[in-house]
Amino acid sequence: MRALMSTWVVVLLSLIAPLAQADLTIDITRGNERATPIAVVPFAEDGQTLPVDLARVVADDLERSGYFAPLERRAMFARPASGDEVAFGDWQALDTRYLVVGRVSREGEGIRIRYELLDVSGESRMLGERITAGQDQLRAAAHRISDQVFEAITGIRGAFSTRIAYVTSQGVGESTAYQLYVADADGRNSQQVLGSDQPIMSPAWSPDGNKLAYVSFETGRPAIYVQEVASGRRARVTSFEGLNSAPAWSPDGRRLAMALSRDGQPEIYVMDLASRNLERITDAPSIETEPAWSPDGDSLIYTSDRSGGPQIYRHDLRSGEVQRLTFTGDYNARGRFAPDGESLFLIHRGGNGYRVARQDLDNGRLVELGDAGQAESPSVAPNGTMVIFATQQGGTGVLGAVSADGRASFRLPAAQGDVREPAWSPFLN
Amino acid sequence: MQFKSSVRVLAVAMSLAVLAGCSSTGGTQDAAMDGTGGAGNGVGTGTAGAARVSGSGLGEGAGQMAGSRLPEVRTIYFAYDSDAIRPEFQPVLDAHARFLRSNPDASVMLQGHTDERGTREYNLALGERRAGAVERFLSVQGVSPSQVEVVSYGEERPAARGHSEEAYAQNRRVVFAY
C-alpha cells in the first residue's frame, strides 16, 4: 500500500510540473515533388496581434502531410482576408491551386476566426467556417482548420488535431532518467505524464484516446500500467514474473494484447480488462512479442523468431489459424496495420540497417520507406497517411515521420536527450 | 582488514589484465557474427581476458575464498544476436555458481541486456533469453532456482553510450546483481 501511495505521488508531481516541457521541433527532410500548391494567407487581425500565427500553423500542418506545398509568404503580393477580396487571376498566375484566407476578431473573452477555402482554378468557394476559441485554444483551432481544409481537398479525414505519446531519456547507466510525454501531433504543447529513474516503454493509446497503456520498470521489474491521460489516475494491470511487455488495445478498447513470459518463453496473451482474465494465444518454444490488432479486431499480428529470425505472423482469433506474413529479408518486426487493414507498416532490416517498410497484404510486396538506419517503433496516423517512428540523427534519438507512399518525410528532434517510441493517438474529435 | 585489501589487489590485477587482454588476444567471435572488423574486438576480447584471469585467480590462488566471497567479475558479454555463453566466461559463471551454492541465503538478479539494433520489444525478449541462458547454466551447476531471478532490460539501459561496434559489444551483456 505504501508503494502504491508513492507511485501516486510521482504521477501527481509530474502532472503539476508545467515547466517540464519537451516540445519537439519539425525539420522537413524531404518534400513531395507532386504536392499540390496552396497559399495560406496570413489571417487579418482586427486591431490586435494574436500570440499564435494561425496561418503559419495551418501551412506547416499542410506541408508536413506531404500532400501540399504552401506558397511562401514573400511570394504573396496580395493578402485578402475573405473570398470577396480575392482576385483569382493573380493566384492563377502563381500556379496556386487552392487558397486559404481568414480574419480574426475579439469576441468577449475569446477569439472569433472566420476562414474560407477557395478553389483558385474553379474560382469558387469550397469551405467557409466560423470558429470561436479561447486564447489558449488557438493552436487547436488552427489544427481544426487544417483538418477541414485537408479533407475538403483530398477527401481524407485530417489528423492534425491528434496527439503523440513518446518516451524520452537523458543520461547513461544507473543515472538515466526516463519520461513519458504526450504532445500535439506537431510536437508542440508537450506534457509529461510520467517520470522515472527506471525504463518506460511501449506507450499505446486506448481507442478512445483517453488512456495510455505502457510498461514501467519503476518497481525494478517490468509491469504494464494503464493511465488516464487527463487525470493521471492509473492502475497496474500485470506484474507477472518475467516479461510484461508490448501492450496493444483491441479496437473495442476492452482487451489488451501483450507479451508475457510467465510460462517460460515470451508468448502472446489477451487480457479482458474488466475481468482481468488472461487468454494465451501462442504456444511455441520461440520469442513471440509485439502484438497488434487488425482494425476489425478479428486477428492479431505479432513478431516471432520461430523460423530463426524475427518475422511477422497473423493469428486468426476465430479459427486459430496462423499464417506467416513476411518473407522479404531476415528481419521483419513490430508490424502495425494501416487503418484500412490492407497493409502493414513494419521494421525491415536491409543492407543499410533498419528502416520502415510497408507491406501490402494482398500481394505480399514490401516497399521500403524513409531513410535506412536505426528505425524502430512505427506508429500509423489514424487516417493512414503518415507513419511516425524512432530513428537517430547525429547519434541522438529523434522521431521521424514518412508519408505512407514514402514521398515526404520529416524529423521531430527534441531540444535535449533522446526521444523514442512514438505512439500516434486515434482521432480525438 | 589485510584480507580485504588483498581482495582489492586481486581486483586491480584483474583490471590490469582486462587492459592487457585488449591488445594481446584476438577473440573473433563477435566480429565473425557481426560481419565487422577491428573496433568491436577490443571490448569483446578485453572482457574475455578478464574472465580467464579471474578464473585462474579464483581457482588456484584464492581457493576457499571463491565460494565464500562475492565474485568480482559480475558482467559477461555476448556475441551479436546470440545467447550462447562464450567459453571464456564459463569460469565466471563457475565462480558465481560456487558462491551461490556456498551461500544458500544469497540471491542474484540476472539482468539481461542487448545492443540498440532492432526493435525494442523484441530486444527485451532477447535480453531475457540471454539472462535465461545464464540461469540454466547456474541451475545445471546445482544452484537453487529460488536464489536466481531474471529480469530483462533489453536495449533500455545501455552501459555504453554511442552507436559504434565497441559500444554495442559492451551493451550485449548479462549482469549479476546481488
Side-chain angles (χ1 to χ4, degrees), chain A residues 226-245:
Chain A
V226 169
Q227 180 165 334
E228 289 179 6
V229 177
S231 70
R233 283 181 47 203
R234 66 175 195 162
R236 189 162 69 199
V237 297
T238 74
S239 53
F240 295 108
E241 193 180 329
L243 288 188
N244 295 263
S245 75

Side-chain angles (χ1 to χ4, degrees), chain A residues 174 178 198 201-202 217 221 243 261 287 290 305 331 334 349 354 374 376 392 395 418 420-421, chain B residues 80 109 116-122 124-125 128-129 149 152-153 155-158 161 163 168:
Chain A
E174 295 298 314
Y178 303 82
Q198 296 289 326
M201 292 181 72
S202 309
F217 284 68
R221 293 167 185 78
L243 288 188
S261 61
I287 289 171
E290 302 175 343
D305 68 350
Y331 195 114
R334 206 180 187 276
R349 183 172 67 195
Y354 301 80
Q374 299 291 346
E376 55 188 15
Q392 286 171 5
D418 285 300
R420 55 189 187 239
E421 292 201 270
Chain B
Y80 175 57
M109 181 181 269
E116 67 179 5
R117 290 172 291 181
T119 64
R120 286 181 180 270
E121 287 100 348
Y122 183 65
L124 196 64
E128 184 178 65
R129 191 180 266 175
E149 189 180 358
S152 174
Y153 287 103
E155 63 177 283
E156 307 304 314
R157 300 196 73 158
R161 210 177 145 74
H163 313 285
Y168 293 159

Side-chain angles (χ1 to χ4, degrees), chain B residues 1-14 65 69 72:
Chain B
M1 285 310 262
Q2 213 169 358
F3 185 67
K4 266 191 184 164
S5 64
S6 74
V7 170
R8 205 167 295 135
V9 168
L10 181 62
V12 170
M14 286 178 349
M65 196 183 77
R69 307 294 296 188
E72 291 285 338

